[in-house]
Amino acid sequence: MSIVLNEQKSLFTLCTKTSMYQMKTDQYGVLLHTYYGKKTEIFDYSYLIQRRDHGFSGNPYQAGNDRTYSLDTLPQEYSCFGSGDYRQSALSVRYQTGARALELRVKDFEILEGKYRIPGLPSIYAEDGNRADTLVITMKDDVEDVCVKLYYGVLEDLDLITRAVCVENRGAAPVFLERVMSMCLDKPYGNYDWITFYGKHEMERQLSRTAVHHGVQAVGSLRGASSHQYNPFVMLSDRNTTETQGECYGFSLLYSGNFLAEAEKDQFDQTRVLMGIHPENFSFKLEPGESFWAPEAAMVYSDGGFEKLTHIYHRAFRNNLCRGRFKHARRPVLINNWEGTYFDFTGEKLLRMAEKAADLGVELFVMDDGWFGNRDTDNSGLGDWHVNEEKLGCTLAELSDRIHAMGLKFGIWYEPEGISEDSSLYREHPDWVLRVPGRNPMRGRYQLVLDFSRADVRDYIFDQMCSVLDRAKVDYLKWDFNRSISDVYSAQLPADRQGEVPHRYVLGLYEFLERLGKRYPDILLEGCSGGGGRFDAGMLHYTPQIWCSDDTDAVERLEIQYGTSFCYPVSTMGAHVSACPNHQTGRTTPLNTRAVVAMAGTFGYELDPGKLTEEEKDEVRKQIALFKEYYDLIQEGRYYRLTDPARDEHYAAWEFAKEDGSEALLCVVASRARTNDPPTRMLLRGLDEGVLYEAEGKVYPGGALIHGGFPVPEAKEEYQSWMFHFVRK
Ligand code: DGJ
């Protein structure tokens, strides 16, 4: 059993394959956190909680004159504002009276078979063969009828624990939620590092590692989407944890909107981690009988460094978060016309590109932005989702048919949440955008944002999309979103519900994507937000792949994909080979290197194939054949980071290995050409010692490759790259 109770039913121990998580209800009904770490024998870890009389840490009335009992110092499972805990809180409410106090006490619990789901929000699910149990702990305030249910999904074989929170107003008056975090974790002992992923447009998810210091360290987003700037995935690790050794914890929020992740080191050197919806500009009114769900957080503990943590997330996200028929199906090698043409295309031009691409072995042609309304630049047309037949020179069905006749599948770009002021939709419905009354809205890429918290707005856009998708054979859809949200005000909600807009927007987005996925199960959906501005676990529940970055430079991609790989599987990372000099950086890299880097993702092309030389065309044909050959190994195998491209100046290297150790693919890019290079080797991982592997016509024992390594050839060209395939004999 993955959820174990003691005889008094006060100690809850959750066990996964290698981790253990424990909580205890104390004598006052407070739920204390007692342990999270390596799986051991089940034991009451509350012996580690030391209580002392600390000045200025007050004592609840219940504790009488016991000055050693303070919620300000105890490790709590879900801390509330107004309870005497002065650290950052998990939950903060306001009553109609204006009072804010909340003291939650455990009232009940329930163990359910299987994994809970959350209405309208993404969550990890168990599949046949997955062991999954749910623990629900119900807590209540003794004065106000506010009830909080803590949900724990214990996915034993996936080695992962999920958390979610449901707050119910069982009283007679409205309650306002001001902060509802999805998880809270108190670590009374230890010095930790706080690892986050920061970035910007065209350089997302760069790893930052700093010591947790006294005070609060936080990352988050108030941009309405999870953002390019910070990712809703963070880690806590020991100070000396490395890629392959040491303890670390991962926290991934399955949410695509405003979020906050905080680490606080308190006056007694205790560390608290919180993660959830950003409380800034958030409030949610709960009428009597109403409830609110905070999004799910997926937590992983690893005693084998970051690599083990990554493998746990990759497997769970690939198999138990992504859905639909493309979860495991081989995704087609695509060509996207964006960097090849931008807005400057006609139907004829696209057909010429498609014809050339088909000849190279490409399998899917994607028509990007510019096919609808009066969209010839990025300052018009968004919202008018009718085909510009004049520009295409035919109907969409005809274009799609002609592309299919070439043996290619056909894909299309959309930005359903965006609206241009120069559009018929805006002229008819200016009130459908997010806008603060009496103020001009802020523009981003010239455009405004449709109010996706509104069902009528979503329904209209959905119908518009259906009328296009129903009339042509479409096999792929790229869902883009090209600005941050501002002017957060919905014309449809009353004043005291305006704080709900950011969350209702995300719920609306998910509702739309769910509907789209159900109606068109055969369309492969790719998420995108100006590249990787909404690359999060929430989106992966609806779109099994996400365009990783608008930066297609292979060398910059090394760092972007490195950072992304800590939590997100290779099969989810949109990556393309583009033309050189690269459009973002002006850098020229070998075509082989661009392909080696893009193959550590979904793999495709984004260039005008008509501009390739005959020699390059031959190379592309070989790349596509190679990708297909290694597809399973790359997409379903284990991913190993062999170097850190941001710090190792010399070579960037990574490896894919089959779970059974039978096969591996070593990929190396010379990040900087130098004369008289010192000899370099790569130590392989994921292979079996004591068996033989063949690579490059030679035979090596697994142990030699693991401990002796594989020599890297000397680079003879700037950014040269190699792939070495190892097969068990
Ligand atoms: C941003 C995306 O990331 C690009 O790939 C492209 O689709 C443009 N938007 C189109 O406007």
Side-chain angles (χ1 to χ4, degrees):
M1 186 64 182
S2 61
I3 300 173
V4 183
L5 286 178
N6 67 349
E7 261 178 38
Q8 298 74 34
K9 299 198 175 2
S10 59
L11 191 72
F12 306 93
T13 309
L14 318 182
C15 298
T16 69
K17 199 158 63 182
T18 67
S19 76
M20 203 167 91
Y21 188 98
Q22 197 183 68
M23 301 155 267
K24 186 173 188 180
T25 312
D26 75 7
Q27 66 270 40
Y28 304 118
V30 171
L31 189 62
L32 300 178
H33 178 80
T34 53
Y35 181 79
Y36 185 28
K38 193 176 171 71
K39 187 173 180 176
T40 66
E41 52 277 85
I42 294 177
F43 186 68
D44 182 351
Y45 273 92
S46 64
Y47 77 95
L48 285 171
I49 297 176
Q50 303 185 33
R51 281 171 32 198
R52 295 182 192 151
D53 178 3
H54 293 293
F56 286 84
S57 288
N59 321 106
Y61 215 78
Q62 260 177 316
N65 288 326
D66 181 357
R67 288 179 39 158
T68 70
Y69 188 92
S70 174
L71 295 179
D72 196 23
T73 63
L74 284 166
Q76 292 185 64
E77 188 55 24
Y78 200 67
S79 160
C80 299
F81 180 83
S83 66
D85 183 352
Y86 294 92
R87 294 167 284 183
Q88 297 299 104
S89 58
L91 180 64
S92 175
V93 303
R94 181 168 48 84
Y95 308 106
Q96 226 180 6
T97 56
R100 307 272 308 270
L102 186 61
E103 295 173 296
L104 292 178
R105 299 294 180 259
V106 175
K107 298 296 171 198
D108 201 3
F109 72 89
E110 203 180 352
I111 295 174
L112 309 168
E113 213 177 292
K115 164 72 174 49
Y116 67 88
R117 300 301 293 269
I118 311 179
L121 280 166
S123 59
I124 305 247
Y125 56 90
E127 279 204 315
D128 294 350
N130 289 137
R131 171 85 225 220
D133 296 293
T134 295
L135 170 67
V136 190
I137 299 180
T138 303
M139 308 200 289
K140 216 185 116 337
D141 184 82
D142 285 335
V143 177
E144 301 281 351
D145 269 336
V146 173
C147 172
V148 175
K149 288 186 169 170
L150 301 182
Y151 281 77
Y152 296 84
V154 187
L155 293 124
E156 194 175 352
D157 49 332
L158 294 182
D159 225 358
L160 177 139
I161 293 174
T162 65
R163 293 181 64 169
V165 178
C166 182
V167 186
E168 293 170 19
N169 177 7
R170 295 184 180 171
V175 171
F176 294 87
L177 307 179
E178 311 229 300
R179 181 180 174 105
V180 191
M181 300 309 264
S182 297
M183 56 139 306
C184 171
L185 177 72
D186 277 354
K187 303 285 295 173
Y189 300 97
N191 287 310
Y192 295 100
D193 277 351
W194 173 239
I195 299 161
T196 59
F197 297 87
Y198 70 96
K200 56 189 170 189
H201 177 228
E202 297 184 345
M203 187 43 86
E204 299 86 343
R205 293 171 293 285
Q206 303 298 295
L207 186 144
S208 154
R209 180 173 184 167
T210 55
V212 175
H213 54 66
H214 286 100
V216 181
Q217 277 151 285
V219 293
S221 167
L222 284 169
R223 294 169 180 270
S226 48
S227 88
H228 302 85
Q229 285 71 16
Y230 299 104
N231 196 263
F233 168 67
V234 297
M235 295 189 286
L236 197 68
S237 77
D238 278 350
R239 302 298 318 276
N240 50 9
T241 296
T242 66
E243 188 62 25
T244 52
Q245 280 173 351
E247 293 195 302
C248 53
Y249 301 83
F251 309 98
S252 166
L253 192 67
L254 280 64
Y255 194 62
S256 310
N258 293 349
F259 78 94
L260 178 67
E262 294 178 303
E264 178 174 12
K265 190 167 187 166
D266 73 6
Q267 54 183 333
F268 305 113
D269 298 346
Q270 310 187 99
T271 300
R272 169 172 290 176
V273 176
L274 290 157
M275 201 177 201
I277 293 179
H278 205 303
E280 181 78 35
N281 197 24
F282 168 83
S283 79
F284 215 96
K285 183 180 182 184
L286 286 189
E287 292 286 2
E290 285 183 348
S291 55
F292 175 88
W293 277 91
E296 180 164 293
M299 308 191 301
V300 169
Y301 160 80
S302 158
D303 58 350
F306 303 120
E307 177 177 288
K308 178 176 171 189
L309 181 137
T310 287
H311 290 166
I312 294 172
Y313 273 116
H314 281 197
R315 185 206 279 191
F317 283 8
R318 217 167 39 215
N319 300 332
N320 302 76
L321 174 62
C322 293
R323 296 178 296 170
R325 88 170 184 79
F326 295 99
K327 187 164 91 165
H328 294 299
R330 188 173 75 68
R331 319 256 174 90
V333 175
L334 67 76
I335 189 160
N336 178 305
N337 73 304
W338 180 244
E339 286 201 13
T341 65
Y342 296 104
F343 290 106
D344 181 18
F345 63 84
T346 59
E348 275 312 311
K349 194 168 182 179
L350 296 184
L351 287 166
R352 276 199 301 276
M353 284 174 86
E355 203 164 23
K356 298 215 163 65
D359 177 53
L360 300 175
V362 167
E363 299 163 305
L364 161 69
F365 183 86
V366 178
M367 176 171 66
D368 210 278
D369 194 356
W371 57 266
F372 53 90
N374 66 337
R375 181 80 168 169
D376 283 325
T377 65
D378 54 8
N379 62 13
S380 61
L382 273 184
D384 295 341
W385 298 110
H386 47 83
V387 182
N388 185 342
E389 293 181 359
E390 206 182 313
K391 181 168 181 174
L392 296 186
C394 60
T395 65
L396 191 72
E398 282 160 353
L399 184 75
S400 162
D401 286 348
R402 288 170 71 181
I403 286 176
H404 278 100
M406 297 171 191
L408 291 170
K409 292 182 183 308
F410 176 66
I412 194 170
W413 178 97
Y414 268 101
E415 187 173 353
E417 301 151 84
I419 178 165
S420 308
E421 285 161 278
D422 183 3
S423 68
S424 310
L425 183 65
Y426 186 75
R427 284 184 280 275
E428 274 167 45
H429 296 287
D431 55 320
W432 279 12
V433 303
L434 291 172
R435 154 182 280 152
V436 179
R439 289 178 192 272
N440 286 321
M442 197 182 85
R443 295 181 178 130
R445 204 199 190 192
Y446 309 111
Q447 68 201 52
L448 307 180
V449 180
L450 280 170
D451 182 356
F452 256 46
S453 72
R454 289 174 61 158
D456 57 343
V457 173
R458 296 197 303 272
D459 288 349
Y460 177 87
I461 298 292
F462 191 79
D463 289 347
Q464 293 269 303
M465 286 176 76
C466 292
S467 66
V468 172
L469 298 173
D470 287 348
R471 287 198 184 100
K473 172 100 189 74
V474 175
D475 308 288
Y476 161 106
L477 191 151
K478 176 172 168 187
W479 181 299
D480 204 348
F481 181 50
N482 280 301
R483 57 161 293 177
S484 300
I485 296 180
S486 57
D487 311 281
V488 183
Y489 189 96
S490 173
Q492 237 184 22
L493 288 171
D496 61 357
R497 286 197 178 272
Q498 289 300 328
E500 300 174 17
V501 176
H503 182 57
R504 286 187 182 276
Y505 184 99
V506 178
L507 291 177
L509 169 71
Y510 289 153
E511 184 273 333
F512 198 122
L513 284 163
E514 184 76 29
R515 230 191 312 168
L516 194 66
K518 283 219 168 88
R519 180 160 170 147
Y520 302 104
D522 294 331
I523 294 185
L524 168 61
L525 296 177
E526 175 154 353
C528 175
S529 174
R534 203 157 54 187
F535 203 120
D536 56 64
M539 283 304 283
L540 288 179
H541 201 50
Y542 307 91
T543 67
Q545 59 190 58
I546 301 176
W547 181 226
C548 197
S549 177
D550 271 349
D551 186 345
T552 59
D553 177 311
V555 174
E556 302 238 294
R557 273 290 183 128
L558 291 173
E559 290 179 33
I560 298 167
Q561 293 175 193
Y562 170 83
T564 308
S565 77
F566 277 82
C567 183
Y568 306 104
V570 166
S571 61
T572 66
M573 282 190 230
H576 300 164
V577 172
S578 61
C580 274
N582 177 267
H583 293 193
Q584 293 81 44
T585 60
R587 192 190 331 251
T588 295
T589 51
L591 182 53
N592 183 58
T593 300
R594 284 175 266 158
V596 167
V597 174
M599 282 191 209
T602 55
F603 192 60
Y605 292 82
E606 187 159 333
L607 41 72
D608 181 351
K611 295 191 175 145
L612 295 172
T613 63
E614 286 309 313
E615 205 182 317
E616 286 172 329
K617 283 183 191 160
D618 278 345
E619 201 176 334
V620 167
R621 284 187 194 99
K622 286 186 193 132
Q623 291 170 352
I624 293 174
L626 204 67
F627 180 67
K628 288 185 187 166
E629 186 184 332
Y630 295 147
Y631 188 85
D632 284 342
L633 175 56
I634 292 175
Q635 304 291 315
E636 306 273 334
R638 285 201 175 126
Y639 179 80
Y640 293 86
R641 291 173 292 266
L642 303 186
T643 65
D644 172 353
R647 281 158 198 85
D648 300 321
E649 289 189 341
H650 221 158
Y651 289 97
W654 62 96
E655 181 198 332
F656 306 96
K658 285 234 166 112
E659 289 209 8
D660 64 3
S662 61
E663 212 184 320
L665 189 66
L666 168 65
C667 306
V668 185
V669 177
S671 337
R672 190 153 72 98
R674 311 192 320 178
T675 59
N676 285 322
D677 239 3
T680 305
R681 60 166 186 180
M682 289 298 158
L683 300 174
L684 272 83
R685 300 212 284 277
L687 300 181
D688 285 336
E689 298 198 26
V691 296
L692 296 176
Y693 290 88
E694 191 171 337
E696 306 284 302
K698 285 195 188 146
V699 174
Y700 306 84
L705 294 169
I706 295 166
H707 303 293
F710 186 79
V712 175
E714 193 182 0
K716 289 289 176 211
E717 179 191 12
E718 182 115 75
Y719 311 121
Q720 194 172 348
S721 61
W722 303 266
M723 273 181 159
F724 303 104
H725 189 213
F726 299 82
V727 185
R728 189 160 59 198
K729 273 184 64 82

